[in-house]
Amino acid sequence: MEKIIKDIIRSVSNTYGQAFFEQICLALDYAIKADYTFVASLQADVYEAKTLALVANGKLVDNISYSLKDTPCAGVLDRQSCCYPSGVTSYFPNDQMLVDMQITGYLGTAIHDSDGKVMGIVVALYKRPIHEPDTTQTLFELFSGRISGEMERLQYQEKLQRLNASLEKRVEDRTNELQDAIAHLKEAQEQLIESEKMAALGNLVAGVAHEVNTPLGVAITSASVVQDSLNTFWQLLHKGKVRRSDVAAVEQRTAQAMTLLSNNLSRAKELVTSFKQTAADQESLVLEELELMHYYQNLLHLLSPKTQQKHIKVSMHGCISQPVLTFPGAHAQILTNLINNSINHGFDEAKNGQAEIQISLMQKENHLIIHYQDNGRGLSEHERMHIFEPFFTTDRKAGNVGLGMSILFNLVTQKLKGQLQLDPPGKGFGITIQLPQQS
């Protein structure tokens, strides 16, 4: 017996996967002198068995699948082993495969996983009575642990392959989204360059690159974490050292990384959408003859829900005697941005006394003069230097992107061909806009 065991161990040393099952079947078959020897995995959900290696008359043959119904193998599901030294077909007359193969003796031993569940079976079939069933059963039980370990390793490998395929698909999808975001960003940059809406276009490109860099950097890092996790597990697989804890760890790391990847790609997409808006505003404007005072009053009426919610008193005065040929959409955007800026930044803290906004419109020679003033907190020196730069904001944590005053600057200087100037530092925020009258 000792020599038989050593020969079997020697024959399967350093073998894994399919090669192991084939070698163990050949070695056991040679030792027990069976007519048929096979190792099979049990598929309980369909009540079938599928051979992983099958030896017939001392040679490997093609694997088969068979139903467990009315077979002695079914008994192995409930017991450690099942042995019929002779007359097995008399006990299982409906097992047509045993009848056709003229099998007399049957011996099967269960293969258990690490949780104690039956996962497979090793079987010896004889066309003659089994004279030493104890020897065969001992060998089967002795090597069932090694067979079980290899079956579990393959199951983990298959599970990891499925996981890897799923993760690769998700990484591919996120990568495609990332590439789309970059493509849209480049497209928006080209549109801005062609329209020449701002003299400081270089600052605009630098600003958006800085803003988008953070979420894209996190997304790329998350994708790298997923790839590194997969590489580490493949190395463990090739060495046959994968444990359940390793599978759980890679699932947890990749799930966290994919969440970060998705959230930051969404943030990058929002930034690119806002960025493209600065290029689209100019083309959406139409030149019209306008009663400017009446138009501004209508705009203030539409914006009144916002100002009333913050308890801000808005007043307008001035005199423009005749209709003006201009772009109504530009004025609507300018006034909306100024009021939003006061609401979000000028009156963002509790204020003592009445919050007020004053707007004046007048004509001076061939120019329109628009003056806007609030009595909010005003601007710091740093804010005065950067207020018209794209993506500059003092309240990013509240979700502000910092494009409102940049768009305003763009509309005044490029679309309306005018000029604007901040009021000297003092009480609140003030700006003067001077526009040439359209002829």
Side-chain angles (χ1 to χ4, degrees):
M1 174 68 75
E2 182 179 353
K3 182 178 183 303
I4 292 174
I5 294 173
K6 288 182 178 180
D7 289 341
I8 295 175
I9 293 175
R10 188 180 302 110
S11 67
V12 298
S13 62
N14 298 322
T15 59
Y16 301 94
Q18 186 61 35
F20 166 79
F21 295 121
E22 292 176 354
Q23 288 301 316
I24 194 71
C25 278
L26 286 169
L28 288 172
D29 183 80
Y30 180 80
I32 64 179
K33 308 301 181 186
D35 293 289
Y36 301 92
T37 304
F38 63 83
V39 174
S41 62
L42 299 181
Q43 299 172 305
D45 55 336
V46 292
Y47 206 56
E48 288 185 353
K50 180 179 181 181
T51 63
L52 301 175
L54 172 60
V55 175
N57 301 317
K59 295 181 179 180
L60 289 166
V61 296
D62 293 339
N63 286 311
I64 62 171
S65 296
Y66 63 94
S67 173
L68 295 173
K69 183 180 180 181
D70 298 325
T71 70
C73 292
V76 181
L77 294 174
D78 303 318
R79 301 189 297 275
Q80 178 69 24
S81 62
C82 184
C83 181
Y84 296 89
S86 63
V88 66
T89 54
S90 64
Y91 295 99
F92 299 93
N94 294 326
D95 190 340
Q96 193 60 43
M97 185 172 69
L98 291 184
V99 174
D100 294 342
M101 295 168 65
Q102 300 178 349
I103 300 303
T104 295
Y106 174 95
L107 194 150
T109 297
I111 300 172
H112 298 84
D113 63 16
S114 55
D115 294 327
K117 297 181 181 179
V118 178
M119 64 186 306
I121 185 172
V122 54
V123 175
L125 304 176
Y126 295 82
K127 292 183 178 181
R128 61 189 184 282
I130 306 175
H131 296 298
E132 297 182 359
D134 291 343
T135 300
T136 301
Q137 184 171 330
T138 298
L139 288 173
F140 280 6
E141 291 176 354
L142 182 63
F143 288 98
S144 64
R146 175 69 175 88
I147 295 172
S148 170
E150 189 61 22
M151 290 179 68
E152 282 197 299
R153 192 187 73 81
L154 286 182
Q155 287 182 355
Y156 283 134
Q157 185 174 10
E158 290 174 358
K159 181 178 180 181
L160 192 59
Q161 286 175 339
R162 291 193 297 270
L163 176 63
N164 179 56
S166 175
L167 290 176
E168 286 182 348
K169 179 63 168 61
R170 293 173 68 182
V171 170
E172 181 182 356
D173 291 342
R174 298 302 186 271
T175 301
N176 289 337
E177 292 180 14
L178 178 60
Q179 291 174 342
D180 289 342
I182 293 173
H184 289 315
L185 175 60
K186 290 181 178 179
E187 179 184 351
Q189 290 173 340
E190 291 173 359
Q191 290 177 351
L192 283 172
I193 292 172
E194 291 175 359
S195 63
E196 295 183 354
K197 285 188 172 184
M198 295 180 65
L201 186 57
N203 291 333
L204 177 59
V205 176
V208 73
H210 175 75
E211 286 294 319
V212 175
N213 182 61
T214 298
L216 293 189
V218 174
I220 292 171
T221 301
S222 300
S224 177
V225 168
V226 172
Q227 190 62 53
D228 289 344
S229 297
L230 294 178
N231 290 340
T232 300
F233 266 80
W234 278 119
Q235 292 175 6
L236 292 174
L237 278 175
H238 293 325
K239 296 177 181 179
K241 296 182 179 180
V242 174
R243 299 169 299 180
R244 289 192 173 190
S245 60
D246 296 325
V247 175
V250 74
E251 288 178 336
Q252 182 180 8
R253 287 197 299 269
T254 51
Q256 292 172 347
M258 294 308 296
T259 299
L260 284 174
L261 185 62
S262 178
N263 291 342
N264 281 277
L265 284 176
S266 297
R267 176 60 176 162
K269 182 180 179 181
E270 293 173 359
L271 289 170
V272 171
T273 300
S274 297
F275 182 64
K276 290 183 68 176
Q277 178 185 349
T278 62
D281 284 336
Q282 180 174 339
E283 285 71 26
S284 65
L285 303 177
V286 179
L287 191 65
E288 296 181 15
E289 194 171 71
L290 191 67
E291 295 282 353
L292 202 58
M293 291 287 293
H294 179 67
Y295 184 70
Y296 269 54
Q297 289 171 349
N298 286 338
L299 290 176
L300 292 175
H301 177 71
L302 294 174
L303 293 170
S304 61
K306 284 189 174 184
T307 55
Q308 290 173 1
Q309 185 181 17
K310 292 288 186 175
H311 307 290
I312 301 172
K313 179 182 177 181
V314 182
S315 59
M316 187 180 73
H317 61 274
C319 180
I320 298 180
S321 58
Q322 57 187 10
V324 175
L325 187 63
T326 188
F327 295 93
H331 289 271
Q333 185 73 67
I334 289 169
L335 186 57
T336 300
N337 287 2
L338 285 171
I339 290 179
N340 284 337
N341 188 67
S342 293
I343 292 173
N344 295 330
H345 305 288
F347 303 121
D348 58 350
E349 300 177 356
K351 177 175 175 56
N352 296 323
Q354 175 71 55
E356 296 183 359
I357 294 174
Q358 295 184 3
I359 304 166
S360 66
L361 292 84
M362 64 185 71
Q363 289 178 306
K364 186 177 180 180
E365 298 179 350
N366 293 325
H367 289 86
L368 299 174
I369 308 297
I370 303 169
H371 184 258
Y372 179 94
Q373 176 75 50
D374 70 32
N375 65 341
R377 67 173 183 83
L379 298 175
S380 68
E381 187 61 30
H382 175 73
E383 290 167 347
R384 291 178 63 86
M385 292 176 60
H386 301 284
I387 188 172
F388 298 120
E389 293 180 4
F391 299 103
F392 174 78
T393 178
T394 59
D395 197 17
R396 194 174 306 282
K397 63 182 180 181
N400 294 310
V401 177
L403 286 175
M405 296 304 289
S406 173
I407 293 173
L408 180 148
F409 179 90
N410 180 45
L411 291 172
V412 170
T413 60
Q414 301 300 315
K415 192 65 183 180
L416 299 177
K417 308 300 181 183
Q419 299 177 351
L420 72 173
Q421 184 176 0
L422 294 174
D423 290 0
K427 184 179 179 181
F429 167 81
I431 187 171
T432 300
I433 300 172
Q434 180 175 300
L435 304 175
Q437 289 186 287
Q438 301 285 342
S439 58

